Amino acid sequence: MTLARTRVRGGVGESAPRPDGVPKVRGEFPYASDLYLEGMLFGHTLRSPHPHALIRAVDVTAAREISGVRVILTERDLPTRERFGLMKRDQPVLAEGRVRYAGEAIAIIAADEADQARAAAKAIVVEYEILPPMSDPIAALGPDAPALHEGGNVIDDVLVVHGDPDAQAEVVVQGEYEVAMQDQAALGPEAGLAIPTADGGVTLHIATQWLHEDLGQIAPALGLPNEQVRLVLAGVGGAFGAREDVTLQIHACLLALATKRPVRMSYGREESFYGHVHRHPARLFYEHGARRDGTLVYVRATIVLDGGAYASSTSAVVANAGCFAAGPYRVPNARVRSVGAYTTNPPAGAMRGFGAVQACFAYEAQMDKLAAALDMDPVVLRARNAVEDGDRIITSQPVEGSEPVANLLRRCAALPMPADEVAHPLRAGRPSRDPLLLPGGAGNLTHGEGIRRGTGFAAGFKNVCYSHGFDDVSHARVRLERTDSGIRARVHTAAAEVGQGIVTVCQQIVRTALEVEEVIVETPDTTIGSAGSSSASRQTWMTGGAVLAACREVRAALEERALARGRAMDELAALLDEPIERSVAWRHRPTEKRDGHTQNHGHVAFLFAAHRATVDVDLGTGLVKVVQVATSQDVGKAINPQAVVGQLEGGIAQGLGLAVMEEVLLRDGQVRNASFTDYLLPTILDMPPVVCDLVEHPHPDAPYGAKGVGEPPTISSTPAIVAAIRAATGRELNRVPVRPDDIVFGTVARSGWRIVPGSDPAMAARA
Amino acid sequence: MAVHVARDVDDATRAVAVDERAELIAGGTDLMVEINFGRRRPGALVAIDRVQELRGISRSGRVRVGAGVTYTQLLADDAGSAALREASRSVGSPQIRNAGTIGGNIATSSPAGDALPVLAALEATIVVRSVRGERRVPFAEWMTGPKRNGRARDEIIVAAEWESAGPKQTFMKVGTRNAMVIAVASLALVVDASRRRVGVALGSCGPTILRADRAQSFAAGVLDELGWERQAAPTETACAEFGALVASAARPIDDVRGTAAYRSHVLSVMAARALARVAVLG
């Protein structure tokens, strides 16, 4: 039975245009940093220049005298002692007597003009007693390390024991790996506008990934009941995990409440580097054992993640790194120790790939090492061990509803190779190839000299949705109504559109489920229940699922009404004299909590992808040009194929960045490159064409079978690119990003610690 | 902040002469960054981006490029220097190249200024003017340190001039990204066959743009044997020797963009390739 006489356009499976697409390209989309209210004040933050220090005194007298300054707040002025933090409330709203990272907030100012607020920050006199920084996470875990927080420097410690953890094998490969700190580098820096309300509360317009989680941290810090704090999603200019944590939310609200004036806070690029969390830097110590025929016998690994000064989501990142440490392979025996440490580095938290990225770089390098030791083709070795439905990962959880990973690998290997042949040396004085397309690009470094091409493969996986017993829920309200111009549907959720396309996904699901073309998606806010975070590749599954469930209820109500009135279902105008509205709370299947050996069904489902990279390397300069990336990814169902391809390409760009250029450079806790001048992101001359193979193997629990697609492109693209560089150069390259020095000089990264893979890093010995 | 939009060079020189706080702005690709980062807050600005006199390129025997010529213009119009064209292509993004000017590069005098090694290798002359008159400064005497030069506060850079050096020249730049990147190391090589002169200049390898004198003499010797006007490739050994001599002229440091060891290494690679490349050009 259908509702509409003609098929609706823009439903599930079509590349429906996204409503925010054209305004963004034309520069007309209102981002949070564009928020403006007549009479608003400008907020600013004073931050610590030292990574580790005691605060002896803060003197704001001179700063208060600066014209236009309305209020200056330090920790003494805070209404509560509540701390904030995503999974552990361990971070003070303003530093309490001690700073633990360079960039920690000390005081906040509201002034008539942004300049005045900045001048006031400069005029605040802070007396510090400088303490030595604790920059090395392995040293921080040691028995003699001074504690940065009550309870010591271990943020979380996950042990995975599977099968016989001490199993032995004929062929063994070992390696130490390093992943440097990557920044999410969303193009829209943090911004929000807090408006005091008549009831003594506050409304915050904010670019965030998760309105309700913010609310849960903001309200207690303000000393207000949740009802007096309302959040409305403002235009988000990218997120990638960096907007899961509270940055300026509490500060803006405090200033608005203190001044009874609207206050806008908006970070510049440099402050953005200090204001938000980054991807966890990691040290990984691995050992793989296999039979001579290539069958994996065991994996042992120790993974140390640098959590920085505050916990943020470190515990979940540690768990992910542990659970996915062996990759998408059948590994009957494993011992993995994954530990997150407090240091005095900038806090680390969520970023696309979330723990799976760090592990994948290491285990895929190990798989290539093993292939070399066995003299096997790397794709054949991987395919031989790749998981399929029914196989268990090292947490004993079986894979379900997935394309066999061996198929993804074989399909990816069969995708067309780049057309360009390997560059020729200089011929007759004329450049044999456009130098723009060669390593060094616009630098005109090679016309073919020194070029060698390499190809590399990698596969990766992670979970979708939240894991380990978290009550993961999304609320949706769908209303079907009659207007003067026809029938339309309205959808309300709190799901944050961060660029990934959830607005369009909701529209498409409603169009298909209710057969109505006009679908209005209302602005997300906290007047409806939580949608959970736009992270963990989960919004299509969760909010898409909630919207679909709400549509089904609306449809059932409509059918009931039609039956009661003796009318046909397509007599919508008559049936909808009263609108039909239904709200649902939608949950995925429950997951099990972590246990001592992490042997359980801790995750909802898994996402798999394979990548093949082709890279030209200039052996002389150590510069690279990624020529092509090909990928086969199990997407379940491409609700919007164009948007899916966009996610794959964007995720690969971010994976490429980590492979060859993106690094927050730290020295003794100081960020040395807090700008887009020196934190390099791939340009169009760095990003190659991507060949996408969307494999649609539906998952039974997901709406239309659609799995999350955002993270897998970032997970295995990095190791595939590095494998290609290794193939071209023969260098070890055990660290990302690969630096030109590593290629030219064959530099190998060493932590300076001896750690037996699988052992407790607290027992590490100096190498 | 007062902004005076200058009509012509005389108007601009008068405006900076009368207001001690005034700073010049052309494309603004350096100054606006400084202002936005709060590192500089000029008391007044004199905008010279609309001064037509500064925007011309003339090639009557001697090349003269107005200080207000943008990199986009240098890519579109032939300024008679292939190396300058290659350097212009390596500057920033299209937007930066549309706004940024060669005069701005000369004024900022960063050791990483992309056009500067080319001007050094061409042995260009910088022409500056003030209400006190006009001065002509050889490029070799222009830069006095990182982001320091011999320009007086009230002087306006009006042009760069050089003798046309022929086709045997090139520019190369290393950065850890294939476009829109600040030079980790750069090199300009000019072989002026008619004057029997070799110019080698290095960027981002010392406090100022450096010349590699011994390498220049060595290359001149190689070309004496090969024939300056011919299109003949030097031996690999000669190119490698040239590369080593260029690298030895550098005074590189470790910084956030690269290591000293890497800078020395890529200088030798760039130089060897540059010599092989230009020798066969004609």
Side-chain angles (χ1 to χ4, degrees), chain B residues 191-202:
Chain B
V191 172
D192 187 339
S194 61
R195 292 179 186 78
R196 300 287 189 263
R197 188 184 74 74
V198 177
V200 182
L202 322 179

Side-chain angles (χ1 to χ4, degrees), chain A residues 545-614:
Chain A
V547 167
L548 179 57
C551 285
R552 286 184 174 143
E553 291 198 10
V554 167
R555 190 166 177 128
L558 186 68
E559 280 171 9
E560 203 173 294
R561 193 179 281 181
L563 198 66
R565 295 185 187 176
R567 284 185 177 273
M569 275 289 277
D570 59 2
E571 294 177 75
L572 276 177
L575 286 171
L576 287 173
D577 50 342
E578 289 286 323
I580 296 176
E581 183 178 294
R582 290 292 181 274
S583 297
V584 300
W586 203 76
R587 287 175 166 79
H588 58 66
R589 68 169 83 170
T591 56
E592 294 174 2
K593 285 194 188 310
R594 267 163 50 183
D595 57 34
H597 286 174
T598 324
Q599 296 297 300
N600 52 33
H601 293 209
H603 306 286
V604 177
F606 303 114
L607 308 174
F608 298 98
H611 289 85
R612 182 191 71 203
T614 305

Side-chain angles (χ1 to χ4, degrees), chain A residues 33 43-45 47 118 183 186-191 248 264-276 674-676, chain B residues 36-37:
Chain A
S33 51
H44 187 69
T45 315
R47 296 178 182 276
R118 280 194 287 266
D183 185 50
L187 291 186
E190 293 72 12
L248 50 70
R264 190 183 81 189
M265 294 190 87
S266 190
Y267 292 170
R269 180 57 54 192
E270 183 182 8
E271 186 170 20
S272 181
F273 272 97
Y274 293 104
H276 66 245
S675 74
F676 279 174
Chain B
N36 287 338
F37 282 3

Side-chain angles (χ1 to χ4, degrees), chain A residues 515-557:
Chain A
E515 292 168 80
V516 55
E517 201 159 295
E518 188 185 354
V519 181
I520 293 171
V521 177
E522 292 170 4
T523 302
D525 59 24
T526 50
T527 64
I528 187 166
S530 176
S533 180
S534 289
S535 60
S537 300
R538 63 180 283 290
Q539 278 303 13
T540 294
W541 188 303
M542 292 303 298
T543 297
V547 167
L548 179 57
C551 285
R552 286 184 174 143
E553 291 198 10
V554 167
R555 190 166 177 128

Side-chain angles (χ1 to χ4, degrees), chain A residues 115 426 429 436 438-447 449-450 618 620-621 623-625 660-661 665 672-673 676-678 680-681 683 685-686 740-741 744-745, chain B residues 33 37-39 41 86 89-91 170-182 254-259 261-262 265-266 269-270 273 276-277 280-281:
Chain A
D115 256 5
L426 204 63
L436 275 182
L438 294 172
N444 191 34
L445 286 163
T446 172
H447 296 172
E449 308 97 301
D618 182 338
T621 61
L623 300 179
V624 299
K625 167 77 178 181
V660 297
M661 64 181 80
L665 293 161
R672 300 169 70 209
N673 58 337
F676 279 174
T677 305
D678 286 315
L680 299 181
L681 295 162
T683 70
L685 276 185
D686 301 283
D741 291 65
V744 168
F745 302 126
Chain B
V33 173
F37 282 3
R39 292 182 197 141
R41 195 45 60 103
E86 288 161 353
R89 181 58 186 85
S90 81
V91 173
T170 193
F171 171 83
M172 298 183 188
K173 164 174 150 183
V174 168
T176 320
R177 176 160 75 183
N178 286 327
M180 215 167 89
V181 68
I182 293 178
D254 287 333
D255 68 13
V256 74
R257 294 180 188 131
T259 62
Y262 176 70
H265 169 81
V266 289
V269 171
M270 283 194 287
R273 288 181 184 177
R277 199 183 287 177
V280 296
L281 291 172

Side-chain angles (χ1 to χ4, degrees), chain A residues 184-485:
Chain A
Q184 298 85 350
L187 291 186
E190 293 72 12
L193 173 66
I195 307 167
T197 51
D199 63 355
V202 63
T203 297
L204 177 66
H205 296 260
I206 183 75
T208 180
Q209 283 175 250
W210 191 356
L211 290 163
H212 288 76
E213 173 59 31
D214 282 1
L215 174 64
Q217 295 180 57
I218 297 168
L222 301 177
L224 291 174
N226 281 9
E227 300 71 48
Q228 276 179 265
V229 181
R230 284 155 296 268
L231 270 69
V232 183
L233 187 71
V236 183
F240 313 111
R243 284 187 221 273
E244 240 182 19
D245 293 83
V246 163
T247 54
L248 50 70
Q249 285 89 328
I250 299 170
H251 295 163
C253 291
L254 284 168
L255 292 171
L257 290 167
T259 57
K260 299 189 166 50
R261 296 266 296 271
V263 174
R264 190 183 81 189
M265 294 190 87
S266 190
Y267 292 170
R269 180 57 54 192
E270 183 182 8
E271 186 170 20
S272 181
F273 272 97
Y274 293 104
H276 66 245
V277 300
H278 308 282
R279 189 190 295 290
H280 286 78
R283 297 279 187 176
L284 310 99
F285 304 81
Y286 264 76
E287 182 175 306
H288 276 59
R291 294 211 307 250
R292 290 235 171 265
D293 67 358
T295 308
L296 286 171
V297 176
Y298 70 86
V299 170
R300 289 193 274 274
T302 296
I303 300 171
V304 179
L305 296 150
D306 180 357
Y310 296 101
S312 177
S313 51
T314 294
S315 51
V317 173
V318 165
N320 264 14
C323 290
F324 310 133
Y329 305 110
R330 282 185 305 275
V331 176
N333 308 296
R335 181 193 286 122
V336 177
R337 191 80 183 244
S338 176
V339 182
Y342 281 123
T343 63
T344 56
N345 290 325
M351 183 173 174
R352 198 177 200 168
F354 203 77
V357 163
Q358 292 90 335
C360 188
F361 173 63
Y363 65 68
E364 284 302 84
Q366 285 284 104
M367 291 300 280
D368 282 340
K369 240 183 211 185
L370 187 58
L374 293 164
D375 197 21
M376 271 180 86
D377 179 272
V379 176
V380 172
L381 173 68
R382 286 177 170 86
R384 171 163 302 178
N385 292 286
V387 290
E388 58 183 49
D389 280 3
D391 288 339
R392 293 168 187 276
I393 70 165
I394 57 169
T395 64
S396 293
Q397 180 166 350
V399 174
E400 182 186 349
S402 289
E403 183 74 7
V405 173
N407 286 356
L408 297 179
L409 280 156
R410 292 189 194 106
R411 289 177 69 131
C412 182
L415 291 172
M417 289 292 286
D420 292 346
E421 56 193 77
V422 176
H424 297 294
L426 204 63
R427 269 196 309 234
R430 266 183 295 278
S432 57
R433 288 178 60 190
D434 184 352
L436 275 182
L437 303 178
L438 294 172
N444 191 34
L445 286 163
T446 172
H447 296 172
E449 308 97 301
I451 301 295
R452 194 162 313 155
R453 177 164 288 186
T455 297
F457 286 87
F461 84 124
K462 83 176 285 288
N463 56 326
V464 60
C465 304
Y466 288 149
S467 301
H468 292 133
F470 188 88
D471 180 24
D472 196 356
V473 59
S474 182
H475 296 80
R477 185 169 69 228
V478 173
R479 177 185 173 99
L480 190 63
E481 63 188 17
R482 188 177 80 192
T483 69
D484 293 343
S485 55

